[in-house]
Every structure is written in C-alpha cells, then in structure tokens.
C-alpha cells in the first residue's frame, strides 16, 4: 500500500489530507507540521481572532481527534529538513526518515524581515502564527502606540484591529496610497480614507527611520512574505519565486506536488505563472492536488479570490488585476458600497464588491468576460 507524505501544517496541508481520505485513499498518510498545532487557517490571525471576537478553535481545519480517527499520522512540532528524491524519503530535525511514494510540499511562506525594525530596540512583531497574533494583541489597548510598517492587507487589518481596541496607530507606507500596486489609485483611495476616518495616522510615500519607531509600544512589520522554498531548492526541484508547478500542480519531479503560498503555478486560464498567497487558493489547490494524487488529471483553473474586513468595510475580490488596468466603478465610493472592475484589452481581469454582498455571484461571473 502506498504512502503519501505532506510537508506543511497550514490550511493547504490540512485540506489535502482531508481530500485524500474523502476521495477514498486507503494508504498511509503522514502530515508534518513544524508548528506545535494541528493545521489551521491564517486569516483569523489578522481578523476575528486578533480582535478577540472568535476563539482560535474556530481556525483549526479539524480538531486533533479527526486525524487519529481518519488514520492520518499527524506529527506536530516536527520540521522536515531534507528531501532525498533518490531514496524517496524525507528527514526531520531529529534524524528520523520517513519514506514516501508521493509527496506534497505545502510549506507556505515566511515574513520578510526589516533590519531597521529588528535593530531599533522596539518590540517588533511579524504576523504568521498563532503565537504572533497572541503577542500582537497583548500590546493593544488605550494609551498604547502601535506602529505598522507596510499598508498591505496584513498591515491594514492589524491597524484596524488595533484601532478598534483603542490603540493609537501610525502606518508607514512607501507608496503614495495603500494597496496601490494591487488596486490602482481609485480603489486604493477608498482604503486610505477609511483608515484616516478611523483615526489612523497614515503616512504615505514615507521612508521609515529609527526615530519614527521611538516611543512605540509595538512595531508590526508587514512588508510581504517570501515563499518557503528552501527545502525544495535543496532537493533540486525547479524553483523561481516559489516551487514551479505545472497546471496540475506537479513539480519538476512527477512524484512531488506543491500547493498554496509556496507554489508558483502555470495557470492555464491566466496564461502565465502566478503565485497566490490567499486562503481560497490553499483550499482549492489542495483539492485538485488530492484528485491528481488519486490518479486524476485535473488542471487548476480557478481564479484567485480573497476577502478582507476592516472596520465597517467588507469586500471580496476575484481575478488578478493590476494598477495598470482600467478601473470601472459602479455604486457609491464615498459610502463604500460599490463594485469595481479591472479591465484589460476590453476584458474583465478582476472584479470586486465592497459592502454589496447580494452582488457577489454577479460580480464574480464578470471575470474573464468582455466589458
């Protein structure tokens, strides 16, 4: 009977083992999680869990009992340090070896560090794990000053959570608007106005200095992540901004798949490689990988999807647009109830709804269609 080994205890790893069992796989499954937790979702770490609105148990893919009940050998707090493709084994920090017939790499991404913040002497945090979220929340409260470096999705969600907890918040962003490279100036301005209206000291086009961090109770750095592809690179797999995978999520080794944040995917619909760091991609790539591990022949064709909740603004976004696309807006930007469409060569390449939840299906359906 064959053995499938999964490296990575995030949402992608937890979903692929679930899909394997649901798909009828009866062989051995071994799941290595470097953290001391069963697989869990990360969005709550900057949203409801960070704000204390939901317990961490809501973030777990399954409780730990599920893995034993479904004969999944879950090894938490265990890091894989080498893949021997010739022998078809993985090695862990304690020197143990685990053979595999097929392997799934779901090692995710790691936050990019900022030397200025790390060497500033201030309490500095990066958000990736449950423990990171716990530590950040400990600094929230009236009279506490939080500095956020980077006005991307994580930075803005942390800023919103900190403000709702009564903290003073300063956000530094090198671009002229938050999320400018993703949304373009029209929609990015909505997020700038949102945070300013809620009392955030938003400093745009800014270069951070050590003096700017002086007096902060906590500095949260959110300047992006890097794919955690070192293990794959050392094993001789093709790597370039993540682990290169084909349309079916196979790496350059046909017995090894890669999914989630770490995978740089040859997307058959978009017609180019893309690496997506969002919740939905981790789930849906895991399902397709599981189907192919079970003998299927499925391409991963799904468009990227993500969502955010900040203060009174909730939004959903489908597709893969850029700041260079033409943006068409329907609705009321000032009231923050609108739909936006990113159009390239007459075709909708991305679409978004903000506080217009009844429109989700209709907006999603426009992606890939002429405008």
């Amino acid at each position: 009977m064959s053995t499938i080994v999964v490296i990575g205890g995030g949402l992608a790893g937890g979903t692929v083992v679930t899909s394997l069992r649901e798909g009828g796989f009866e062989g051995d499954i071994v799941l290595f999680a470097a953290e001391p937790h069963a697989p869990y979702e990360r969005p709550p770490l900057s949203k409801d869990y960070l704000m204390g609105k939901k317990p961490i148990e809501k973030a777990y893919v399954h409780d730990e009992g599920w893995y034993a009940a479904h004969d999944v050998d879950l090894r938490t707090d265990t890091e894989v340090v080498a893949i021997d493709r010739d022998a078809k084994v993985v090695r862990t920090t304690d020197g143990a070896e685990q053979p595999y017939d097929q392997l799934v790499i779901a090692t995710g991404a790691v936050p990019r560090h900022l030397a200025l913040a790390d060497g500033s002497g201030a309490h500095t945090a990066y958000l990736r794990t449950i423990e990171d979220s716990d530590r950040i929340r400990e600094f929230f409260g009236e009279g506490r000053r939080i500095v956020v470096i980077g006005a991307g999705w994580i930075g803005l969600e942390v800023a919103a959570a900190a403000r709702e907890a009564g903290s003073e918040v300063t956000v530094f962003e090198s671009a002229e608007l938050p999320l400018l490279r993703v949304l373009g100036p029209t929609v990015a301005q909505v997020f700038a106005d949102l945070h300013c209206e809620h009392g955030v000291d938003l400093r745009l086009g800014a270069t951070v200095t050590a003096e700017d961090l002086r007096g902060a109770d906590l500095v949260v750095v959110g300047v992006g992540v890097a794919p955690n592809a070192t293990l794959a690179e050392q094993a001789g797999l093709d790597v370039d901004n993540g682990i290169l995978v084909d349309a079916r999520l196979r790496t350059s080794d046909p017995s090894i798949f890669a999914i989630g944040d770490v995978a740089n995917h040859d997307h058959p619909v978009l017609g180019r490689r893309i690496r997506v760091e969002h919740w939905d991609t981790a789930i849906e790539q895991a399902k397709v990988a599981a189907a192919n591990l079970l003998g299927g022949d499925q391409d991963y064709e799904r468009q990227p999807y993500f969502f955010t909740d900040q203060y009174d603004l909730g939004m959903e976004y489908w597709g893969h647009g850029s700041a260079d696309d033409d943006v068409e807006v329907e609705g009321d930007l000032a009231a923050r109830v609108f739909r936006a469409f990113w159009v390239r060569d007459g075709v909708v390449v991305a679409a978004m709804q903000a506080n217009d939840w009844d429109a989700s299906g209709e907006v999603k359906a426009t992606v890939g269609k002429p405008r």
Side-chain angles (χ1 to χ4, degrees):
M1 194 167 288
S2 65
T3 298
I4 296 177
V5 169
V6 180
I7 307 173
L11 180 57
T15 302
V16 75
V17 301
T18 303
S19 299
L20 286 168
R21 285 298 187 231
E22 290 178 348
F25 181 67
E26 297 180 351
D28 294 333
I29 300 177
V30 182
L31 172 58
F32 289 99
E35 294 180 51
H37 309 285
Y40 63 92
E41 303 180 13
R42 298 190 191 275
L45 303 185
S46 61
K47 297 181 176 73
D48 285 348
Y49 179 66
L50 181 61
M51 291 187 286
K53 293 182 177 180
K54 289 185 179 178
I56 195 58
E57 287 75 18
K58 296 290 186 182
Y60 285 103
V61 179
H62 303 289
D63 61 50
E64 288 206 31
W66 182 93
Y67 299 92
H70 290 80
D71 199 22
V72 174
D73 183 359
L74 173 61
R75 303 185 193 177
T76 58
D77 210 13
T78 305
E79 185 177 358
V80 174
V81 294
I83 301 169
D84 186 333
R85 292 167 52 204
D86 294 329
K88 297 190 84 168
V89 300
V90 300
R91 298 188 179 92
T92 59
T93 47
D94 60 4
E97 293 188 348
Q98 171 60 53
Y100 67 85
D101 294 292
Q102 296 184 99
L103 179 66
V104 181
I105 303 175
T107 46
V110 293
R112 298 184 186 277
H113 275 245
L114 191 63
L116 172 71
D118 292 343
S120 67
H123 293 291
T124 302
Y126 297 81
L127 180 53
R128 188 68 184 175
T129 67
I130 293 172
E131 290 78 11
D132 294 336
S133 188
D134 289 340
R135 181 167 180 265
I136 290 170
R137 186 173 38 182
E138 288 176 358
F139 284 89
F140 287 177
E142 298 287 344
R144 311 300 293 276
R145 179 170 178 253
I146 309 296
V147 170
V148 178
I149 303 176
W153 297 113
I154 295 295
L156 293 183
E157 288 175 357
V158 170
R163 281 298 298 143
E164 293 199 354
S167 312
E168 297 177 15
V169 178
T170 304
V171 176
F172 289 91
E173 168 57 46
S174 60
E176 296 306 312
L177 286 169
L179 304 167
L180 181 61
R181 288 180 290 275
V182 178
L183 301 178
T186 301
V187 180
Q189 186 66 53
V190 173
F191 286 88
D193 294 343
L194 173 71
H195 281 268
C196 289
E197 287 175 19
H198 283 84
V200 172
D201 180 1
L202 184 59
R203 304 188 187 183
L204 300 170
T207 300
V208 185
T209 68
E211 184 62 31
D212 294 321
L213 308 184
R214 214 175 298 280
D217 292 290
L218 180 69
V219 177
V220 181
V221 180
V223 293
V225 297
N228 189 10
T230 302
L231 188 64
E233 187 172 17
Q234 291 173 345
L237 297 174
D238 291 345
V239 171
D240 182 10
N241 183 30
I243 304 170
L244 300 183
V245 296
D246 64 14
R248 294 168 179 79
L249 304 171
R250 281 189 175 87
T251 70
S252 51
D253 183 325
S255 63
I256 302 178
F257 289 72
I259 55 176
D261 293 4
V262 76
N264 191 349
H265 169 233
D266 189 5
H267 200 292
V269 174
L270 296 176
R272 58 193 174 89
R273 289 201 169 275
I274 182 173
R275 190 175 65 80
V276 179
E277 300 164 359
H278 295 304
W279 166 87
D280 184 71
T281 299
I283 294 172
E284 299 301 330
Q285 285 191 348
K287 293 177 180 178
V288 170
N292 291 336
L293 285 160
L294 294 171
D297 196 27
Q298 292 186 25
D299 286 352
Y300 182 75
E301 299 180 339
R302 190 177 177 91
Q303 291 275 3
Y305 164 83
F306 66 89
F307 68 98
T308 191
D309 295 299
Q310 300 171 34
Y311 311 109
D312 57 352
L313 187 152
M315 57 77 76
E316 296 178 292
Y317 177 106
W318 298 266
H320 196 261
S322 76
D324 297 328
D325 299 324
D326 295 326
V327 180
E328 300 179 13
V329 176
E330 299 174 356
D332 191 338
L333 283 175
R336 292 192 279 271
V337 181
F338 64 91
R339 309 172 187 186
F341 306 89
W342 284 258
V343 182
R344 188 182 309 151
D345 299 326
V347 174
V348 177
V349 294
M352 166 184 165
Q353 69 82 6
N355 290 337
D356 192 3
W357 299 99
D358 291 339
S360 292
E362 181 182 343
V363 172
K364 176 183 178 182
T366 65
V367 178
K369 305 289 179 56
R371 181 70 175 171

